[in-house]
């Protein structure tokens, strides 16, 4: 079954400390992986993606993510957290099964609330 | 520019009303999506249009009716909704259905 898991409902980190938001996936074949951030009362904003190539992907706002094929993980990281990073983070994977109409679906994780403490 | 514009931002409607949510993108994307999101939950796929044709309907009740008038516009027509349909409705687009999805800011719908 194609799936993505975010094992932590909430992550708390002090401002200035490094942060990690975890994501693991289960798909057949090579995964297309994404991270999105959602600030309160806003839509989802694309942060970064992994399709192929370097395992370390750099994205917006100083975020990066590390693709680990052996551990089937795609953890989101940032070297120094800001209070303004506090938001809801979603990991997503493209379902590798194409529908009969030739369209792909995306599977979202349940989300992790990041709280950065001043 | 990766902008998807949704109107209105907020909508309150009665259970007998007919209203529409509108979405527009000018990125030349050929896939457009409607998602429904409840508070603190992941977005749930409702519909996908690919090249202006409905390609996915996730068994959405018929009181929600999507329309894609052209490659830049996507509408969601609402009729006889229930209070449990109150949610954030997100429009999104991608170059095609296999690429990065870009979301709009959403339309907050309250059904009274």
């Amino acid at each position: 079954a194609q799936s993505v898991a975010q094992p932590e409902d909430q992550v708390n980190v002090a401002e200035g400390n490094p942060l990690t938001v975890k994501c693991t996936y289960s798909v057949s074949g090579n995964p297309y992986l994404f991270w999105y951030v959602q600030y309160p009362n806003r839509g989802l904003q694309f942060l970064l993606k992994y399709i192929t190539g370097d395992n370390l992907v750099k994205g917006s706002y100083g975020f990066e993510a590390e693709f680990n094929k052996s551990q089937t993980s795609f953890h989101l990281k940032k070297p120094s957290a800001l209070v303004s990073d506090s938001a809801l983070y979603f990991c997503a994977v493209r379902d590798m099964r194409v529908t009969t109409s030739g369209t792909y679906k995306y599977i979202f994780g349940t989300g992790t609330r990041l709280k950065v403490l001043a | 520019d990766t902008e998807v514009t949704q109107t209105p931002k907020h909508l309150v409607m009665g259970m007998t009303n007919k209203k529409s949510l509108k979405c527009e993108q000018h990125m030349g994307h050929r896939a457009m999506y409607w998602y429904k999101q409840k508070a603190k939950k992941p977005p749930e796929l409702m519909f996908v249009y690919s090249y202006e044709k409905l390609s996915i309907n996730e068994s959405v009740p018929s009181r929600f009716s999507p329309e894609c008038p052209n490659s830049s516009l996507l509408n969601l027509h609402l009729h006889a909704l229930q209070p449990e349909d109150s949610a954030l409705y997100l429009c999104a687009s991608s170059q095609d259905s296999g690429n990065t999805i870009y979301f709009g800011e959403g339309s907050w719908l309250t059904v009274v």
Side-chain angles (χ1 to χ4, degrees), chain B residues 30-73:
Chain B
R30 304 314 301 265
M32 295 188 77
Y33 309 76
W34 280 114
Y35 284 85
K36 174 184 177 180
Q37 188 183 27
K38 290 281 199 178
K40 302 180 183 180
K41 298 291 186 183
E44 301 171 22
L45 182 64
M46 299 175 71
F47 303 103
V48 182
Y49 274 82
S50 182
Y51 291 84
E52 301 165 51
K53 292 184 179 177
L54 183 64
S55 58
I56 294 179
N57 176 343
E58 291 286 82
S59 303
V60 179
S62 59
R63 57 185 184 268
F64 295 92
S65 175
E67 178 197 18
C68 189
N70 59 53
S71 60
S72 300
L73 293 174

Side-chain angles (χ1 to χ4, degrees), chain A residues 32 34 36 38 41-46 49 51 88 90 94 99 101-106 108-110 113, chain B residues 33 35 37 40-43 45 48 50 55-56 58 88 90 97-106 108:
Chain A
Y32 285 26
F34 305 83
Y36 289 86
Q38 187 173 32
N41 302 316
R42 305 290 296 274
L44 277 70
Q45 293 181 34
F46 168 70
K49 68 180 178 185
I51 295 177
L88 185 57
F90 289 102
R94 193 184 82 171
T99 66
S101 60
T103 305
Y104 290 98
K105 297 182 186 182
Y106 292 78
F108 285 83
T110 50
R113 182 161 302 280
Chain B
Y33 309 76
Y35 284 85
Q37 188 183 27
K40 302 180 183 180
K41 298 291 186 183
L45 182 64
V48 182
S50 182
S55 58
I56 294 179
E58 291 286 82
L88 178 65
L90 293 162
S97 78
N99 279 291
T100 305
I101 295 179
Y102 296 95
F103 287 85
E105 291 294 336
W108 286 96

Side-chain angles (χ1 to χ4, degrees), chain A residues 2-18:
Chain A
Q2 319 269 320
S3 65
V4 61
Q6 293 180 244
E8 301 155 317
D9 287 337
Q10 182 160 323
V11 169
N12 296 327
V13 63
E15 188 175 30
N17 282 3

Side-chain angles (χ1 to χ4, degrees), chain A residues 57-69:
Chain A
V57 179
K58 293 190 185 297
S60 306
Y61 313 122
F63 283 94
E64 57 189 28
E66 187 170 10
F67 172 67
N68 188 316
K69 189 171 183 178

Side-chain angles (χ1 to χ4, degrees), chain A residues 35-37 42-49 60-61, chain B residues 1-6 23-29 31-32 72 91-95 99-106:
Chain A
W35 275 104
Y36 289 86
V37 59
R42 305 290 296 274
L44 277 70
Q45 293 181 34
F46 168 70
L47 280 178
L48 51 79
K49 68 180 178 185
S60 306
Y61 313 122
Chain B
D1 186 16
T2 53
E3 188 169 316
V4 176
T5 304
Q6 290 187 242
C23 175
E24 190 170 6
Q25 57 89 12
H26 293 290
M27 297 176 280
H29 289 176
M32 295 188 77
S72 300
C91 176
S93 71
S94 62
Q95 191 170 12
N99 279 291
T100 305
I101 295 179
Y102 296 95
F103 287 85
E105 291 294 336

Side-chain angles (χ1 to χ4, degrees), chain A residues 91-102:
Chain A
C91 181
V93 64
R94 193 184 82 171
D95 192 331
M96 302 308 286
R97 300 164 299 180
V98 65
T99 66
T100 53
S101 60

